[in-house]
Amino acid sequence: MFDDFYSRHYPLSSIGKENQLKLKYRTVLVAGMGGLGTVSSQLLNSLGIGKIKIIDFDVIEQSNLPRQTLYTVDDIGKAKVEQAKIQLSKRNPFTKVEDVMTRIDAINVTNLITGVDLIIDGLDKFTTRRILFRAARSLKIPYIFAGAIAETGNVMSFNHDDEYPCLECIIGDTTDDESQSCEIRGVNPVILHLTAGIQVNEAMKILLDKKPDLLGKMQLIDVTELDFDLINIAKKDNCALCSIEKDNLEKGTVGDTTKGEREIGKHGKSLITSLCGRDTYIFDPKWDINWNFTEITDSISKQWNVKSTGRDYITFNIRTTSISLVNTGIATIRSAGKIKNAINVMNELFDYIKK
Ligand SMILES: [Zn+2]
């Protein structure tokens, strides 16, 4: 049945039989299930991605229906992710859809993206994009940006290689300007399909280990006079993200994101990212994490106050700090104050785990 289902993909040089099987083992996160996310998730679903994780906190409104083609009149008032999951599942029995109804923030972002192979940006806020992109960069998860408003759209791919610009080289510290929202400027459904289509084409290439076309380049699309422009984007000299990833973590806990490696006691080195102005650090240990995560969570719950647990994570307190540890060993430490304290807490945790 699988072969039958995908029989029209097998003759394609862009997919083919072998790659169709590869896609079955890929997980893609679609952040935002509005105008772009509804289109990109349908394409990913059609292409046979093994698992699609969809995230949105919104409910369906009447004004969404002309462009958000997964939803119907009967769905008004219901959660976007729930209805999207129902529709997507009806269209492809071979793709698993996980729906998460939440707003992406600096606290939940690491848990949300851990384990996915690629992130599709279907967001409409720069503030959320910045949080998602920074987390994706610290975990080295490829990220495909797309934006669309009125009759124009743009798409760009990021694999986090140093030679290419990062998202913040382009958006800088742009804030969300209400006069540029789709409520005010409108959005043509056609531009959403073109933009999301190009975005998913890029995603496919990355998922199949091919080089995407939009690294360091932005595809601009304008349907008023049908224009496709490809522009080169250079790295920004003093980009707040990629040009200060040099290693100046000590500089502070407020205002800037920095990144570098530190020794964690006798355990080894860990990459540490400090998140913008939030007194939050993400630790990505470089030593071998070889553990039974269920045993680890059991043991942690005997020692510290546990706030919540899931199959792949545990959130608990060590004194005044809050820690979310995921099964890959990546830990997000909040309310730790200075970097030194965060490192001490991380060391204490791994000393305990090793015992
Ligand atoms: Zn940059």
Side-chain angles (χ1 to χ4, degrees):
M1 196 189 161
F2 185 88
D3 285 342
D4 247 3
F5 195 89
Y6 292 114
S7 59
R8 303 302 186 266
H9 291 177
Y10 288 1
L12 300 173
S13 67
S14 54
I15 308 179
K17 187 170 180 172
E18 203 177 305
N19 281 336
Q20 191 69 62
L21 278 172
K22 250 192 203 177
L23 292 176
K24 207 178 146 188
Y25 297 99
R26 298 284 190 261
T27 298
V28 175
L29 183 148
V30 179
M33 287 299 287
L36 287 167
T38 46
V39 180
S40 56
S41 62
Q42 287 179 83
L43 287 170
L44 292 163
N45 193 52
S46 300
L47 285 163
I49 307 303
K51 184 174 166 190
I52 307 173
K53 185 170 181 177
I54 54 175
I55 304 181
D56 203 299
F57 62 90
D58 227 347
V59 295
I60 298 155
E61 291 173 42
Q62 185 167 264
S63 64
N64 298 151
L65 298 184
R67 64 187 182 285
Q68 300 182 18
T69 49
L70 268 177
Y71 314 129
T72 70
V73 174
D74 297 335
D75 300 332
I76 291 170
K78 296 180 184 167
K80 284 186 175 178
V81 287
E82 275 179 31
Q83 293 311 305
K85 181 182 176 170
I86 292 169
Q87 293 306 324
L88 292 169
S89 303
K90 279 186 193 165
R91 296 252 314 122
N92 190 341
F94 301 106
T95 290
K96 197 170 169 260
V97 180
E98 180 186 350
D99 59 317
V100 185
M101 190 172 182
T102 190
R103 190 188 289 266
I104 296 171
D105 59 33
I107 293 176
N108 63 17
V109 67
T110 313
N111 284 340
L112 290 172
I113 70 173
T114 296
V116 310
D117 298 303
L118 182 134
I119 294 171
I120 290 279
D121 172 352
L123 297 166
D124 57 1
K125 296 260 185 298
F126 286 113
T127 41
T128 319
R129 279 195 173 109
R130 207 171 279 116
I131 290 168
L132 183 61
F133 185 83
R134 286 184 174 207
R137 190 170 173 90
S138 78
L139 301 187
K140 294 267 183 283
I141 300 171
Y143 183 105
I144 325 273
F145 161 83
I149 190 83
E151 285 90 6
T152 61
N154 39 51
V155 186
M156 189 165 170
S157 298
F158 300 91
N159 64 357
H160 313 299
D161 274 1
D162 272 347
E163 62 176 300
Y164 299 112
C166 78
L167 182 65
E168 290 189 29
C169 287
I170 303 149
I171 66 171
D173 53 7
T174 311
T175 50
D176 294 298
D177 177 357
E178 284 307 315
S179 70
Q180 295 300 309
S181 70
C182 71
E183 283 89 345
I184 311 273
R185 294 195 53 207
V187 59
N188 183 330
V190 171
I191 195 68
L192 295 169
H193 283 251
L194 287 169
T195 307
I198 292 169
Q199 190 182 25
V200 171
N201 195 51
E202 286 287 287
M204 283 291 288
K205 292 187 181 182
I206 293 177
L207 292 170
L208 295 174
D209 306 312
K210 299 174 188 172
K211 192 177 176 196
D213 296 297
L214 299 176
L215 291 172
K217 294 189 180 103
M218 186 180 277
Q219 178 70 58
L220 308 177
I221 313 142
D222 187 333
V223 291
T224 43
E225 290 183 2
L226 194 57
D227 227 356
F228 287 83
D229 262 331
L230 188 60
I231 56 168
N232 288 315
I233 308 266
K235 277 179 83 137
K236 193 176 149 203
D237 277 347
N238 51 358
C239 168
L241 182 56
C242 67
S243 76
I244 55 166
E245 270 173 9
K246 296 274 149 51
D247 195 2
N248 55 355
L249 273 169
E250 306 294 352
K251 262 177 77 178
T253 55
V254 179
D256 48 12
T257 290
T258 49
K259 191 165 168 170
E261 281 193 348
R262 284 286 183 281
E263 293 286 346
I264 309 297
K266 294 192 179 73
H267 301 286
K269 281 195 166 143
S270 172
L271 187 69
I272 307 174
T273 307
S274 96
L275 284 188
C276 172
R278 289 174 196 271
D279 192 9
T280 298
Y281 302 91
I282 299 172
F283 284 74
D284 183 3
K286 294 299 157 203
W287 61 88
D288 261 352
I289 300 289
N290 191 2
W291 60 21
N292 176 329
F293 195 65
T294 315
E295 283 173 15
I296 296 295
T297 54
D298 280 353
S299 147
I300 284 173
S301 58
K302 284 180 194 130
Q303 179 79 353
W304 291 294
N305 175 27
V306 173
K307 309 284 268 190
S308 62
T309 52
R311 197 191 52 198
D312 298 326
Y313 79 98
I314 178 165
T315 300
F316 57 101
N317 294 112
I318 295 185
R319 293 179 295 282
T320 56
T321 61
S322 162
I323 299 164
S324 295
L325 177 70
V326 289
N327 63 358
T328 53
I330 291 167
T332 307
I333 301 189
R334 287 175 280 276
S335 310
K338 289 226 160 75
I339 177 78
K340 224 171 101 187
N341 300 333
I343 291 172
N344 287 341
V345 167
M346 188 72 174
N347 188 34
E348 181 180 342
L349 170 63
F350 275 87
D351 277 350
Y352 175 75
I353 285 171
K354 273 224 165 143
K355 259 195 260 163

